[in-house]
Amino acid sequence: MNGAQHILDAFHRHNIQTVFGYPGGCIMPLYDALVDDVRVEHVLCRHEQGCALAADGYARASGRLGVCIATSGPGATNLITGVANAHRDSIPMLVITGQVPSALIGTDAFQETDVLGMTLGIVKHSYLIESAAELPEILEEAMDLAQNGRPGPVWIDIPKDLLLDDVTATPMTTQAQPNATCPDLESAIALLRAARKPLLYSGGGISLAHAEESFRAFAECSAMPAVVTLKGIGNSGKNSAHNLGMLGMHGSRAANRAVDECDLLLVIGARLDDRATGKLDGFAPNARTIHIDADAAEFNKLRSAEVALRGDLNTILGELTHSLRETPLAINDWRKQCQAWRTTGGFQAADNEEPLAPITGPAFISQLSRTTPEDTIIACDVGQHQMWVAQHYQFDHPRHHLTSGGLGTMGFGLPAAIGAQFANRDSTVINVTGDGSFMMNAQELATVRRYNLPVKLIIMDNQCLGMVRQQQELFYNNRESQINLDDNPDFVAMARAFDIPALKIDRTDQVRRGIETILAYSGPMLLHVAIAREENVWPIVKPGGSNKEMIDETRRTAADKKEMTA
Amino acid sequence: MKVESSHKTSNYTITCRMNHEAAALERLCQVVRIRGFRIAKMAVETADGALDIALTIQGTRPVAMLQSQLEKLHTVAEVKLAAPVVAAATRIA
Ligand SMILES: Cc1ncc(C[n+]2csc(CCOP(=O)(O)OP(=O)(O)O)c2C)c(N)n1
Ligand SMILES: [Mg+2]
């Protein structure tokens, strides 16, 4: 068996059925081995960035390892954005690239790039294979590393000659890392009991640790008011009475208010990102902090914690729940107060009753949320439409909401939706995108067509880079700079060129029918939704500002608006 | 409570043992740089297939944060921090 065959064999042993890749010179031996191997389904995307983001979407939607493959040089450099995206959101991913033959490394050979050096900052770990003999062990270690502890991408760069060399496979079992013990659990419980206004603050770490159920059991048992980060959306389920929604720059007033007033923050699986906390000086000024995470390096990074617990979130949450079952928290006044804030300061999309009125982003997303089936997965792009999804779509599970949080990668949505559809063949998968983001990986329409994936695409077209336009309007004196996209192609015609049916809507009375039409269609379909160019995402906190200073639409007076459009 | 760094630059000495892999030193230096420190002095020795690295670094950020990031590297076995040369640089507000 040669190195390439060994890799496919290892995929099979690890139950990796789907990989995303693009061939080229130095990875040819692996593609040659694929010809005879029917156990692994290789998905050919149309750009290596598409491969990496599809592997990322596959991993997010399934909780399993995402795998992407590319050749050396431009293949590897094209992967980089997708791998960085996975790195920033701690997505388990295995990246395999071919490298120029060992003897040519360092000679500026054709399609040689220093992949190892170039990717140090965007991987959990990386390897350059130096002999075929080390390949089996490194492969096992890489798959284990990518998925355990705090997950992340692991990159293996393999010189072409070593893919062809004989490998004596020694299947080995990796040892599960022992869970950290938590001597501080008692201190955490004591702090929790002492608090009058405790607040649960959860993030993407919950689903990364496969701890959704333990989290919900804890959230219900403690009945603590709760806020979520962008990546924690869905953690509480859509029927939770205590969830105040997303906090932060585009968070709900209720969530930001509760953070401001709480006396204890229980942070679980979150890293206190600046988009969530706003200016740190003003963040949760009266609160003590308990921080629970798989990664000890997150503790005291941005906020010091009185108690920090590292370990398996399932175990820790289980123990916390157990302790609260015996004696519930006595925080009724605080609960009532948060409920009241939720009523007045939650996200509410005003439905426009006027049938001929233009479509607004929030109302469209609310309607989408009401119309889609239970198991629907939404893969977002980046911009205003992403925030409207976060604010107005009711998610019941964090794996139903795929969003590029840490890196904010425009072009994420379509390939991520492709990956998610491969992981969940029977689920409804929808890419909600913007007219800017869509064009960043539009080539992947060809992948949708080739595999006849029933992915639905919704383009929220405001004819501009809306998120940038909004910030230019609000914080740069309305000096618009390079945000105009009014020469977008005809998206309906474009989809049809890929043999994907499409339709366009621009009036409120077309929204429901439009959504129902794409959902009812058995194959892929695109819905082009024209919305107003001037629409903004509300509320907003100025970048770098404190979450206390949320700006509402009502603060813009008629005179302001006139001045802005003058 | 907010974690703050003083604006005073401090020197620290860190010793680190890591696997002797292809990108070992770059990996280490990359983390030191991105987490806010500069390397003022560096000595490397190989022993039993491992690298023993002694670093003198300078920076204004809490050095414990750098230590935990270095410990996270898969190929780093141990990180030890000697007492800072200038008085403690971190303050918990
Ligand atoms: C690859 C990449 N380039 C640039 C940005 C900066 N950026 C953030 S949002 C945005 C505008 C997105 O426009 P569109 O997809 O049309 O969404 P909208 O905000 O209009 O809903 C830009 C340019 C980014 N996040 N990613
Ligand atoms: Mg747009």
Side-chain angles (χ1 to χ4, degrees):
Chain A
M1 190 185 291
N2 68 22
Q5 290 160 334
H6 174 81
I7 292 170
L8 298 182
D9 201 57
F11 287 168
H12 177 64
R13 272 187 287 109
H14 285 267
N15 200 21
I16 294 168
Q17 290 148 356
T18 312
V19 301
F20 303 86
Y22 206 97
C26 289
I27 195 73
M28 295 250 284
L30 187 63
Y31 279 83
D32 189 52
L34 263 173
V35 175
D36 303 318
D37 199 314
V38 292
R39 300 170 300 179
V40 177
E41 179 178 28
H42 177 278
V43 178
L44 181 79
C45 297
R46 294 302 172 96
H47 188 298
E48 288 87 353
Q49 185 181 121
C51 301
L53 292 172
D56 176 315
Y58 178 93
R60 281 179 209 246
S62 65
R64 299 171 58 191
L65 184 68
V67 179
C68 58
I69 301 169
T71 193
S72 66
T77 54
N78 273 350
L79 285 177
I80 284 182
T81 300
V83 178
N85 190 69
H87 184 245
R88 292 303 318 275
D89 281 350
S90 310
I91 303 303
M93 183 185 284
L94 178 68
V95 188
I96 292 187
T97 45
Q99 181 55 278
V100 299
S102 312
L104 291 184
I105 292 181
T107 66
D108 307 317
F110 176 63
Q111 295 196 327
E112 181 186 2
T113 51
D114 174 16
V115 170
L116 202 64
M118 201 162 51
T119 59
L120 285 173
I122 56 158
V123 294
K124 181 171 173 187
H125 193 55
S126 50
Y127 304 85
L128 172 66
I129 302 290
E130 292 175 310
S131 79
E134 64 182 27
L135 179 62
E137 197 177 328
I138 285 182
L139 201 55
E140 298 292 324
E141 186 176 277
M143 288 194 260
D144 181 60
L145 255 183
Q147 297 175 85
N148 287 321
R150 179 176 180 172
V154 178
W155 193 314
I156 311 183
D157 196 31
I158 315 177
K160 184 177 180 180
D161 52 315
L162 303 183
L163 286 169
L164 292 164
D165 270 6
D166 274 346
V167 166
T168 25
T170 38
M172 48 170 276
T173 45
T174 44
Q175 296 194 338
Q177 286 177 1
N179 286 328
T181 48
C182 298
D184 278 346
L185 202 72
E186 291 306 317
S187 330
I189 292 164
L191 269 187
L192 207 51
R193 292 213 176 284
R196 299 273 62 89
K197 302 181 195 172
L199 186 68
L200 184 52
Y201 176 124
S202 72
I206 301 295
S207 62
L208 290 172
H210 303 274
E212 298 92 342
E213 279 182 31
S214 348
F215 176 81
R216 266 189 221 184
F218 173 71
E220 273 160 37
C221 166
S222 70
M224 273 164 75
V227 299
V228 288
T229 67
L230 177 66
K231 282 188 65 214
I233 286 174
N235 281 348
S236 301
K238 63 179 171 189
N239 297 321
S240 159
H242 305 288
N243 182 19
L244 303 170
M246 180 172 75
L247 84 158
M249 179 183 271
H250 288 296
S252 76
R253 281 197 159 272
N256 283 344
R257 181 79 192 265
V259 174
D260 196 42
E261 301 253 341
C262 72
D263 65 1
L264 177 78
L265 265 189
L266 175 54
V267 181
I268 310 184
R271 59 189 171 83
L272 301 157
D273 173 75
D274 54 276
R275 279 287 189 272
T277 63
K279 194 172 169 198
L280 273 172
D281 270 344
F283 177 72
N286 310 314
R288 308 171 97 184
T289 306
I290 302 171
H291 199 163
I292 304 175
D293 204 273
D295 181 1
E298 289 303 335
F299 301 147
N300 306 317
K301 186 179 82 176
L302 293 161
R303 184 182 173 90
S304 57
E306 273 73 16
V307 178
L309 304 177
R310 187 187 80 79
D312 172 48
L313 297 196
N314 269 309
T315 314
I316 298 173
L317 284 164
E319 295 196 27
L320 286 177
T321 308
H322 180 73
S323 120
L324 291 194
R325 276 237 160 83
E326 286 159 15
T327 332
L329 298 176
I331 50 169
N332 268 338
D333 290 349
W334 171 238
R335 282 189 195 113
K336 270 191 212 137
Q337 174 63 79
C338 289
Q339 281 299 338
W341 287 331
R342 187 164 104 139
T343 313
T344 53
F347 292 122
Q348 262 129 21
D351 280 332
N352 197 328
E353 302 298 330
E354 173 57 51
L356 301 184
I359 298 167
T360 65
F364 179 88
I365 299 296
S366 299
Q367 182 64 52
L368 184 70
S369 182
R370 291 193 292 269
T371 316
T372 44
E374 273 296 303
D375 66 347
T376 300
I377 296 169
I378 306 282
C380 287
D381 262 294
V382 173
Q384 293 180 311
H385 60 281
Q386 177 192 28
M387 291 300 116
W388 288 323
V389 168
Q391 294 178 336
H392 298 286
Y393 196 99
Q394 304 297 316
F395 287 97
D396 207 28
H397 196 283
R399 292 201 186 282
H400 291 171
H401 177 229
L402 315 186
T403 201
S404 170
L407 198 65
T409 311
M410 287 173 71
F412 168 76
L414 176 53
I418 290 171
Q421 190 78 76
F422 274 104
N424 300 270
R425 311 257 174 171
D426 299 327
S427 299
T428 301
V429 178
I430 305 178
N431 167 215
V432 176
T433 185
D435 50 323
S437 297
F438 175 66
M439 293 291 280
M440 288 239 174
N441 272 316
Q443 79 285 345
E444 298 308 330
L445 287 176
T447 311
V448 170
R449 182 68 282 165
R450 163 185 284 246
Y451 297 95
N452 197 23
L453 302 172
V455 167
K456 315 298 176 195
L457 292 106
I458 296 177
I459 304 181
M460 312 278 289
D461 178 11
N462 51 11
Q463 308 221 334
C464 65
L465 300 172
M467 182 63 99
V468 180
R469 190 205 54 72
Q470 171 168 358
Q471 297 209 8
Q472 288 173 351
E473 177 192 319
L474 298 176
F475 310 125
Y476 290 84
N477 234 347
N478 203 28
R479 284 159 56 86
E480 288 191 353
S481 178
Q482 303 297 323
I483 49 79
N484 188 33
L485 299 180
D486 66 4
D487 53 355
N488 274 323
D490 174 344
F491 292 125
V492 169
M494 194 171 152
R496 287 186 185 149
F498 287 88
D499 196 19
I500 293 173
L503 78 132
K504 180 175 181 179
I505 58 173
D506 56 10
R507 293 194 324 249
T508 291
D509 64 346
Q510 299 168 320
V511 167
R512 204 163 135 198
R513 276 285 290 284
I515 296 171
E516 284 170 355
T517 307
I518 59 164
L519 290 177
Y521 186 66
S522 60
M525 192 164 177
L526 182 145
L527 182 64
H528 178 186
V529 185
I531 58 173
R533 188 179 185 277
E534 290 73 30
E535 210 178 333
N536 284 336
V537 180
W538 302 113
I540 181 174
V541 175
K542 187 174 178 167
S546 158
N547 283 353
K548 262 194 271 242
E549 287 142 30
M550 298 202 86
I551 306 168
D552 269 323
E553 183 167 22
T554 46
R555 286 246 226 118
R556 270 204 303 183
T557 62
D560 287 342
K561 283 190 185 168
K562 210 168 154 201
E563 196 174 284
M564 278 166 188
T565 47
Chain B
M1 276 193 296
K2 199 185 146 226
V3 178
E4 278 185 12
S5 60
S6 74
H7 292 292
K8 212 178 327 165
T9 302
S10 299
N11 287 325
Y12 305 91
T13 305
I14 280 186
T15 55
C16 175
R17 170 162 270 232
M18 71 188 297
N19 292 0
H20 197 174
E21 41 113 6
L25 287 180
E26 288 160 83
R27 215 183 283 285
L28 185 86
C29 295
Q30 192 265 342
V31 173
V32 171
R33 173 176 56 78
I34 200 74
R35 300 292 169 182
F37 292 83
R38 285 196 177 190
I39 298 174
K41 200 166 141 196
M42 185 169 179
V44 185
E45 274 177 48
T46 37
D48 315 325
L51 290 176
D52 281 324
I53 303 152
L55 288 175
T56 303
I57 53 167
Q58 303 173 329
T60 56
R61 299 210 192 160
V63 74
M65 291 298 93
L66 174 63
Q67 185 175 2
S68 58
Q69 294 294 344
L70 291 175
E71 283 166 349
K72 222 164 80 167
L73 291 176
H74 177 58
T75 42
V76 166
E78 193 184 36
V79 183
K80 279 192 198 149
L81 178 69
V85 178
V86 176
T90 60
R91 176 161 67 87
I92 305 275

